Structure formats: C-alpha cells, structure tokens
Amino acid sequence: MTIKIDFKSHLENLKNQDQEVYNAVMGEIQRQENTLELIPSENVVTSAVMETQGSVLTNKYSEGYPGKRYYGGNQFIDKTETLAIDRAKKLFRAEHANVQPLSGAVMNIATYFGVLETGDTILGMDLGHGGHLTHGHPITHMAKVFNFVGYKTETDKDGIIDYDKLRAQAIECKPKLLLAGFSAYTKTLDWKKFKEIADEVGAMTMADVSHIGGLIAANVLENPLDHGFDFMTTTTHKTLRGPRGGLILCKEKYAKAIDKSVFPGLQGGPLEHVIAAKAVAFKEADSEEFVTYQKQVLKNAQGLAKGLMENGVTLVTNGTENHMCLLDLRPQDLKGKIVEEVLDEVGICTNKNAIPDDTASPLNPNGLRIGVPVITTRGLNETDCEVIGKLIADVINNIEDETTHKNVSEVVSEICKKYPLYTNE
Ligand code: DSN
C-alpha cells in the first residue's frame, strides 16, 4: 500500500504560517520514506484514516456518550462514534465497545478501576518477561492502588508459559483479575487455558491484545473473546493500523461500569476526530485486503526470523509466532543501545528491549525488539524480510566495521526505493 500525498500542496497553510513545524513534519515524511521501520508497535495509516483525523471533528466537545452528551451540537459526532462502536463490536465479536480511551495506558487503567476495588490482586505477565508497564510495574501509580503479581515465562523452554505453574500461582494469590497480554513476547497465548485457570479461582479475565489486535481482527490469531474473556483491550494504532488510541471490549454485564470508568472516571472530552478515524480503520479491518495483509505479516515475521537465525542471531523463544522478534544480543557481547544506534545510522529503525530476566538497565538492555507491521503495509514480502534479517545480522556481527555499515545502508536505500511509502498524487 502506498499513501498518496500531493507534495506540492501538502501542508501548504502550515508551510506559510509556521516554517519550523512544517520543516519537522516534512523531515519526518522523508525519514519514514527512507527508513525500514521495524518498531513492532508502529504502523502506517491509510489516507482515509489520516484525513479523518485531520478533519473538523477536532473542534468539537462531546463529553458523554452518543445520545447522552453534556454539550449541544453532537448530532454528527454521535453518528461517527456510534459507527466506531458498532464496527468494533462486529469486528471483534464483542458484546460492548468503548472507543473513547485516549491511549493504551488509559484503556487498561480504566478497565482496572471499572471493575476492581483498591487493593485487589491482578495476576499479569511480568514486565521483564514481555508484559507491559500498565500490567503492574512498581514504577506506575496503579501499583500503589492494586496488588499486582507477575507470572514469568520459561526461559529454558523456548519462553513458553507453564500453565501448571500459572495455575498454582493463581491458586496461591487468588487474583480478582487474570491478565493475559504482552508488549514483547513472541509466542501465542493459550486463551482457553487462561480462562480455565481464572474460572477455577473465580477471577475475571482480561486480554490486552494491543500488539496483535489486527491479527485477531483478521482471525489469523485466536480471539480471546471467543473463549469467554470478560475484557479485551487493544490499542488501535499497532497491527490494527488505525489512529493512535485505545479500545475496550467487554461483556454486556460490565458495559456500564466500563463506560463510567472511562468517562467521567478518567477522561474528559473524547478526541472525536480520532474516534471517527477509528471507525474508518475498523471498516478497513473488516475486509479481505486486511486479512491478506495480516497473513503476510505472519509470513514476513517468519522471513525476518529466518534471516536472523540463519546468520547467527539468537531469538528469544527461538523464533516467532506473531509479528515480532526479540533478539538476545548476549552471544555477540552487545547491548541494545549500541545496536539500535548503529542500525538507525544505516536506515533501520528498531527498539532496544529487555530480554527475560535481563540484568542490564532498561535504558541499555541485552535485547532488541523488531517487527514487520510497517514494512508489510509498505508491500515487502517474506523474501525481502529474510534479506532484512540478514542485513541486521551483518550489522550485529560487524558492529564496528564501517564498510559493512555502508553496504547495508545502500541495500536499505534500494529496498526503500523499490517500495515507496508516500507517492505524489
Ligand atoms: N509503547 C508500546 C510498545 O511499543 O509496545 C506499548 O506501550
């Protein structure tokens, strides 16, 4: 997919009014065009999503929900928000959807506060094993309010979750909420097992599928709601390829509590231009083209993993079952920061990341997280991704060799030219 932009007229008003911001935006267009973007939580939206987000809907206050607003003049906003709700419910086979969360953090916090009491226990994946800050890291405010307990992955068994151990942990800590989901984990989760364990200990179930929301929407990965999960949250801008924001899906019996928790519990005026853009993205996701895209995402991740592993790079979990790879840089005696920096210099944008039980600082961890949603949107196939895996391996294996960097940089430029992202209309 290429995004059509008329570069002659693009941002003309901004250009005339504010040269500094204009230059930065144009610089970012060039950076995205000339870089292989491998941050697994990013994607590139369609022109329709971008247009909607840049529309006059940004001017409207609409606290409340469709039909129940605290401001007048919401007849069109009610239409777009209702479309977003209905499309999200259809796409994910959900009983209820709240499309207002401004971000991933807000959607998770709103879910906790909607159905839990202070001090309740949440059993979620340890951040150091692929979980997320909002799943209970001690540094967050939520950790002062709820009792988070973390489960870990089995590092000596390809990073699987030992569901017997998880069950034992659940029996011991008696969570009110069992939370499945991750931001740096490359195995599929067994939703059925999570639900069985939760039922046994009387816990509610929540899946944070932010990273794999698009794969689930396209039914190329299983949907936790089909296994009876109570809540599913997802950001809308990762594999789901919509505008930046969050989405909460839940059973009807929790609908009121969730809506109240989002507004007025946590947020004020919703970003209706973003919500309308979510509606557009949900319609796009409900298409054959999107299914084909997500199938290609899985193939491309396999290609990337192959190119890396065949050239001496170690992957946590020994491969991948989703859209991303987590590289363990210890065999090369390297750290994530330097690898991220050198790859950036050759035009490959990546994300340093902790590996399980990492002893290094989060600012300079032992791993690197990469993924394929953006380059798949751009049209690259699994063979291209294998080549990119090899290029990354070349850099890792020759981190100080400038000739290698130059060669890799040239190939990256060729690939970017072959698959233009933004084209003149
Ligand atoms: N920042 C997101 C990610 O990169 O996975 C999660 O919050």
Short mmCIF file of all heavy atoms in Angstrom, two decimals, residues 8-40:
data_model
loop_
_atom_site.label_atom_id
_atom_site.label_comp_id
_atom_site.label_asym_id
_atom_site.label_seq_id
_atom_site.Cartn_x
_atom_site.Cartn_y
_atom_site.Cartn_z
N LYS A 8 3.09 18.98 -3.57
CA LYS A 8 3.07 20.42 -3.91
C LYS A 8 2.14 21.19 -2.97
O LYS A 8 2.46 22.26 -2.49
CB LYS A 8 2.59 20.59 -5.36
CG LYS A 8 3.73 20.39 -6.35
CD LYS A 8 3.46 21.18 -7.64
CE LYS A 8 4.49 20.80 -8.67
NZ LYS A 8 3.89 19.98 -9.74
N SER A 9 0.97 20.58 -2.70
CA SER A 9 0.00 21.33 -1.88
C SER A 9 -0.03 20.84 -0.44
O SER A 9 -0.69 21.43 0.41
CB SER A 9 -1.39 21.20 -2.50
OG SER A 9 -1.77 19.84 -2.49
N HIS A 10 0.67 19.75 -0.15
CA HIS A 10 0.58 19.16 1.19
C HIS A 10 1.03 20.14 2.26
O HIS A 10 2.12 20.70 2.19
CB HIS A 10 1.46 17.90 1.22
CG HIS A 10 1.28 17.09 2.47
ND1 HIS A 10 0.07 16.58 2.86
CD2 HIS A 10 2.17 16.68 3.41
CE1 HIS A 10 0.21 15.91 3.98
NE2 HIS A 10 1.47 15.95 4.34
N LEU A 11 0.21 20.36 3.25
CA LEU A 11 0.54 21.24 4.38
C LEU A 11 0.89 22.66 3.94
O LEU A 11 1.73 23.32 4.56
CB LEU A 11 1.70 20.63 5.20
CG LEU A 11 1.53 19.21 5.72
CD1 LEU A 11 2.78 18.75 6.44
CD2 LEU A 11 0.34 19.10 6.66
N GLU A 12 0.23 23.13 2.88
CA GLU A 12 0.57 24.45 2.34
C GLU A 12 0.32 25.56 3.35
O GLU A 12 1.12 26.49 3.49
CB GLU A 12 -0.27 24.69 1.09
CG GLU A 12 0.39 25.65 0.13
CD GLU A 12 -0.41 25.71 -1.15
OE1 GLU A 12 -0.56 24.67 -1.78
OE2 GLU A 12 -0.90 26.79 -1.48
N ASN A 13 -0.79 25.46 4.07
CA ASN A 13 -1.10 26.51 5.06
C ASN A 13 -0.08 26.51 6.18
O ASN A 13 0.37 27.56 6.64
CB ASN A 13 -2.50 26.31 5.62
CG ASN A 13 -3.54 26.45 4.53
OD1 ASN A 13 -3.66 27.50 3.92
ND2 ASN A 13 -4.23 25.36 4.24
N LEU A 14 0.27 25.32 6.60
CA LEU A 14 1.29 25.22 7.67
C LEU A 14 2.61 25.81 7.19
O LEU A 14 3.27 26.56 7.91
CB LEU A 14 1.47 23.74 8.06
CG LEU A 14 2.55 23.47 9.09
CD1 LEU A 14 2.20 24.11 10.44
CD2 LEU A 14 2.75 21.96 9.30
N LYS A 15 2.94 25.49 5.96
CA LYS A 15 4.20 25.99 5.40
C LYS A 15 4.25 27.52 5.42
O LYS A 15 5.26 28.13 5.80
CB LYS A 15 4.34 25.49 3.96
CG LYS A 15 5.66 25.82 3.31
CD LYS A 15 5.63 25.29 1.90
CE LYS A 15 6.93 25.61 1.18
NZ LYS A 15 6.86 25.17 -0.21
N ASN A 16 3.13 28.14 5.05
CA ASN A 16 3.09 29.61 5.00
C ASN A 16 3.10 30.23 6.39
O ASN A 16 3.55 31.34 6.58
CB ASN A 16 1.86 30.09 4.24
CG ASN A 16 1.96 29.69 2.77
OD1 ASN A 16 3.06 29.51 2.25
ND2 ASN A 16 0.82 29.50 2.13
N GLN A 17 2.60 29.46 7.35
CA GLN A 17 2.40 30.05 8.68
C GLN A 17 3.50 29.70 9.67
O GLN A 17 3.84 30.50 10.53
CB GLN A 17 1.06 29.55 9.21
CG GLN A 17 0.65 30.15 10.52
CD GLN A 17 -0.69 29.58 10.95
OE1 GLN A 17 -1.61 29.47 10.16
NE2 GLN A 17 -0.79 29.21 12.22
N ASP A 18 4.03 28.48 9.58
CA ASP A 18 4.96 28.03 10.62
C ASP A 18 6.02 27.13 9.98
O ASP A 18 5.90 25.90 9.97
CB ASP A 18 4.16 27.28 11.70
CG ASP A 18 5.00 26.95 12.92
OD1 ASP A 18 6.24 26.84 12.77
OD2 ASP A 18 4.42 26.79 14.00
N GLN A 19 7.04 27.76 9.51
CA GLN A 19 8.08 27.04 8.76
C GLN A 19 8.78 25.99 9.63
O GLN A 19 9.14 24.92 9.14
CB GLN A 19 9.10 28.07 8.27
CG GLN A 19 10.04 27.58 7.19
CD GLN A 19 9.35 27.44 5.83
OE1 GLN A 19 8.55 28.29 5.47
NE2 GLN A 19 9.63 26.38 5.11
N GLU A 20 8.92 26.29 10.94
CA GLU A 20 9.68 25.34 11.78
C GLU A 20 8.96 24.00 11.92
O GLU A 20 9.55 22.94 11.76
CB GLU A 20 9.90 25.95 13.17
CG GLU A 20 10.93 27.05 13.20
CD GLU A 20 10.68 28.01 14.35
OE1 GLU A 20 9.63 28.70 14.34
OE2 GLU A 20 11.51 28.04 15.25
N VAL A 21 7.65 24.09 12.24
CA VAL A 21 6.89 22.83 12.38
C VAL A 21 6.78 22.15 11.01
O VAL A 21 6.95 20.93 10.89
CB VAL A 21 5.49 23.08 12.99
CG1 VAL A 21 4.64 21.82 12.93
CG2 VAL A 21 5.62 23.54 14.43
N TYR A 22 6.55 22.95 9.97
CA TYR A 22 6.45 22.38 8.62
C TYR A 22 7.71 21.59 8.27
O TYR A 22 7.65 20.45 7.80
CB TYR A 22 6.24 23.52 7.60
CG TYR A 22 6.30 23.05 6.17
CD1 TYR A 22 5.22 22.40 5.59
CD2 TYR A 22 7.47 23.24 5.42
CE1 TYR A 22 5.29 21.96 4.27
CE2 TYR A 22 7.55 22.79 4.10
CZ TYR A 22 6.45 22.15 3.54
OH TYR A 22 6.53 21.70 2.24
N ASN A 23 8.86 22.20 8.54
CA ASN A 23 10.12 21.52 8.20
C ASN A 23 10.26 20.20 8.96
O ASN A 23 10.74 19.20 8.41
CB ASN A 23 11.32 22.43 8.52
CG ASN A 23 11.44 23.57 7.52
OD1 ASN A 23 10.82 23.52 6.45
ND2 ASN A 23 12.19 24.59 7.87
N ALA A 24 9.85 20.23 10.23
CA ALA A 24 9.96 19.00 11.03
C ALA A 24 9.03 17.91 10.46
O ALA A 24 9.42 16.74 10.36
CB ALA A 24 9.62 19.28 12.49
N VAL A 25 7.82 18.30 10.09
CA VAL A 25 6.88 17.30 9.55
C VAL A 25 7.41 16.75 8.23
O VAL A 25 7.38 15.53 7.98
CB VAL A 25 5.46 17.90 9.36
CG1 VAL A 25 4.53 16.87 8.72
CG2 VAL A 25 4.89 18.37 10.69
N MET A 26 7.92 17.64 7.37
CA MET A 26 8.45 17.17 6.09
C MET A 26 9.67 16.27 6.31
O MET A 26 9.89 15.30 5.59
CB MET A 26 8.82 18.36 5.18
CG MET A 26 7.62 19.16 4.71
SD MET A 26 6.29 18.18 3.98
CE MET A 26 6.92 17.90 2.34
N GLY A 27 10.45 16.63 7.33
CA GLY A 27 11.60 15.78 7.68
C GLY A 27 11.15 14.39 8.09
O GLY A 27 11.76 13.38 7.71
N GLU A 28 10.06 14.34 8.85
CA GLU A 28 9.55 13.04 9.30
C GLU A 28 9.01 12.23 8.11
O GLU A 28 9.18 11.01 8.06
CB GLU A 28 8.48 13.24 10.38
CG GLU A 28 7.81 11.97 10.88
CD GLU A 28 8.74 10.95 11.54
OE1 GLU A 28 9.89 11.27 11.84
OE2 GLU A 28 8.29 9.80 11.73
N ILE A 29 8.40 12.91 7.15
CA ILE A 29 7.93 12.20 5.94
C ILE A 29 9.14 11.55 5.25
O ILE A 29 9.12 10.36 4.89
CB ILE A 29 7.21 13.16 4.96
CG1 ILE A 29 5.86 13.56 5.53
CG2 ILE A 29 7.03 12.50 3.58
CD1 ILE A 29 5.06 14.52 4.64
N GLN A 30 10.20 12.31 5.11
CA GLN A 30 11.41 11.78 4.46
C GLN A 30 12.00 10.63 5.27
O GLN A 30 12.45 9.62 4.72
CB GLN A 30 12.47 12.89 4.31
CG GLN A 30 12.11 13.97 3.32
CD GLN A 30 11.81 13.40 1.93
OE1 GLN A 30 12.45 12.47 1.48
NE2 GLN A 30 10.81 13.95 1.27
N ARG A 31 12.02 10.79 6.61
CA ARG A 31 12.57 9.73 7.45
C ARG A 31 11.77 8.44 7.27
O ARG A 31 12.34 7.36 7.10
CB ARG A 31 12.57 10.15 8.93
CG ARG A 31 13.32 9.21 9.85
CD ARG A 31 12.97 9.41 11.32
NE ARG A 31 11.60 8.99 11.63
CZ ARG A 31 11.23 7.73 11.83
NH1 ARG A 31 12.12 6.76 11.80
NH2 ARG A 31 9.96 7.43 12.08
N GLN A 32 10.45 8.56 7.29
CA GLN A 32 9.63 7.35 7.14
C GLN A 32 9.83 6.73 5.76
O GLN A 32 9.87 5.52 5.61
CB GLN A 32 8.15 7.69 7.38
CG GLN A 32 7.85 8.03 8.84
CD GLN A 32 6.37 8.28 9.12
OE1 GLN A 32 5.50 7.94 8.33
NE2 GLN A 32 6.08 8.88 10.26
N GLU A 33 9.98 7.59 4.75
CA GLU A 33 10.15 7.10 3.38
C GLU A 33 11.49 6.36 3.22
O GLU A 33 11.57 5.34 2.54
CB GLU A 33 10.11 8.31 2.42
CG GLU A 33 10.20 7.97 0.96
CD GLU A 33 8.94 7.32 0.43
OE1 GLU A 33 7.86 7.88 0.63
OE2 GLU A 33 9.04 6.24 -0.18
N ASN A 34 12.52 6.88 3.85
CA ASN A 34 13.87 6.37 3.60
C ASN A 34 14.38 5.41 4.67
O ASN A 34 15.57 5.11 4.72
CB ASN A 34 14.85 7.55 3.47
CG ASN A 34 14.45 8.45 2.31
OD1 ASN A 34 13.99 7.97 1.29
ND2 ASN A 34 14.59 9.75 2.49
N THR A 35 13.48 4.98 5.55
CA THR A 35 13.88 4.11 6.66
C THR A 35 13.08 2.82 6.61
O THR A 35 11.89 2.85 6.25
CB THR A 35 13.58 4.82 8.01
OG1 THR A 35 14.26 6.06 8.04
CG2 THR A 35 14.00 3.97 9.19
N LEU A 36 13.70 1.71 6.99
CA LEU A 36 12.93 0.48 7.20
C LEU A 36 12.48 0.53 8.65
O LEU A 36 13.29 0.37 9.57
CB LEU A 36 13.80 -0.74 6.91
CG LEU A 36 14.12 -0.95 5.43
CD1 LEU A 36 15.08 -2.12 5.26
CD2 LEU A 36 12.85 -1.16 4.61
N GLU A 37 11.22 0.78 8.85
CA GLU A 37 10.66 0.98 10.20
C GLU A 37 10.30 -0.39 10.78
O GLU A 37 9.36 -1.02 10.31
CB GLU A 37 9.42 1.87 10.09
CG GLU A 37 8.79 2.22 11.40
CD GLU A 37 9.76 2.95 12.31
OE1 GLU A 37 10.06 4.13 12.06
OE2 GLU A 37 10.22 2.30 13.26
N LEU A 38 11.07 -0.81 11.77
CA LEU A 38 10.84 -2.15 12.33
C LEU A 38 10.35 -2.12 13.78
O LEU A 38 10.40 -3.15 14.46
CB LEU A 38 12.12 -2.99 12.24
CG LEU A 38 12.65 -3.31 10.84
CD1 LEU A 38 13.83 -4.27 10.93
CD2 LEU A 38 11.58 -3.91 9.94
N ILE A 39 9.94 -0.96 14.25
CA ILE A 39 9.38 -0.94 15.61
C ILE A 39 8.03 -1.67 15.55
O ILE A 39 7.14 -1.27 14.79
CB ILE A 39 9.27 0.51 16.13
CG1 ILE A 39 10.69 1.06 16.33
CG2 ILE A 39 8.46 0.56 17.43
CD1 ILE A 39 10.78 2.49 16.76
N PRO A 40 7.88 -2.77 16.33
CA PRO A 40 6.72 -3.64 16.11
C PRO A 40 5.40 -3.04 16.52
O PRO A 40 4.35 -3.56 16.16
CB PRO A 40 7.05 -4.87 16.96
CG PRO A 40 8.05 -4.44 17.94
CD PRO A 40 8.80 -3.29 17.35
#
